[in-house]
Amino acid sequence: MTNAQKWIAAFLGFFLFLFILSKLTKQEDDYYDDADHYNDQTAEPVKEVDGFTLINRIGCTKCHGEDLNGSKLAPTLYEAKNNWKRDALINYLRNPQAYSGDERFEEYKRQYKSIMPAYNNIDVKDLGIIADYILSMQK
Ligand code: HEC
């Protein structure tokens, strides 16, 4: 082989190498494409956790009752929609003490031994989901 032939062979070899490499990486792409496709058709869509699940998980039911209709420890949450707008309710959940001056809360203080904990460690988005749930509760 002349030098020129060696160069050409090396050159072709190099392209052959690139070609194979591109095939290999292409296969990987296809693999992921397929995986997406597969997920689209069979996997459950990512669901937001619903308000009642959050309320149970956090333990609001321990005081407000399994059905949230009140207990010896805390009032019913079915009246909340008459007393709260969404934003105020979220603020309340984060800092209930800020609302303790209201007449209703003075009465609660006499009536219930426990107090409403401050949930300022919970994601505001989750509190929003909880607030939406409480404001939509119907007996
Ligand atoms: C340790 C018991 C306890 C737990 C747990 C608790 N609460 Fe309360 N909650 C109370 C009490 C008691 C009140 C009445 C106000 C007061 O005395 O602090 C109250 C009041 C409320 C009110 C206002 C009711 C009204 O008439 O305006 C809302 C809304 C509420 N709670 C929602 C929740 C939610 C949502 C959770 C869970 C994230 C929760 N509570 C967890 C005890 C509790």
Side-chain angles (χ1 to χ4, degrees), residues 38-52:
Y38 178 80
N39 280 341
D40 281 345
Q41 296 205 327
T42 59
E44 291 257 309
V46 180
K47 260 196 270 173
E48 271 194 341
V49 187
D50 66 284
F52 192 66

Side-chain angles (χ1 to χ4, degrees), residues 72-84:
K72 271 183 256 170
L73 292 174
T76 176
L77 295 184
Y78 280 90
E79 295 298 321
K81 60 177 173 301
N82 303 322
N83 295 312
W84 296 102

Side-chain angles (χ1 to χ4, degrees), residues 54-56 58-64 68 72-77 79-80 83-84 89 92-93 96-97 100 104-110 112-117 119 122 127 130-131 134:
L54 285 171
I55 282 172
N56 268 302
I58 295 166
C60 316
T61 44
K62 279 191 207 114
C63 293
H64 289 281
L68 300 177
K72 271 183 256 170
L73 292 174
T76 176
L77 295 184
E79 295 298 321
N83 295 312
W84 296 102
L89 181 53
Y92 174 75
L93 297 175
Q97 263 58 58
S100 58
R104 190 165 81 256
F105 289 103
E106 289 302 318
E107 180 56 35
Y108 288 154
K109 226 184 270 173
R110 282 189 287 275
Y112 301 106
K113 285 205 178 67
S114 76
I115 56 158
M116 173 66 186
Y119 288 102
I122 291 177
L127 292 180
I130 291 172
I134 290 175

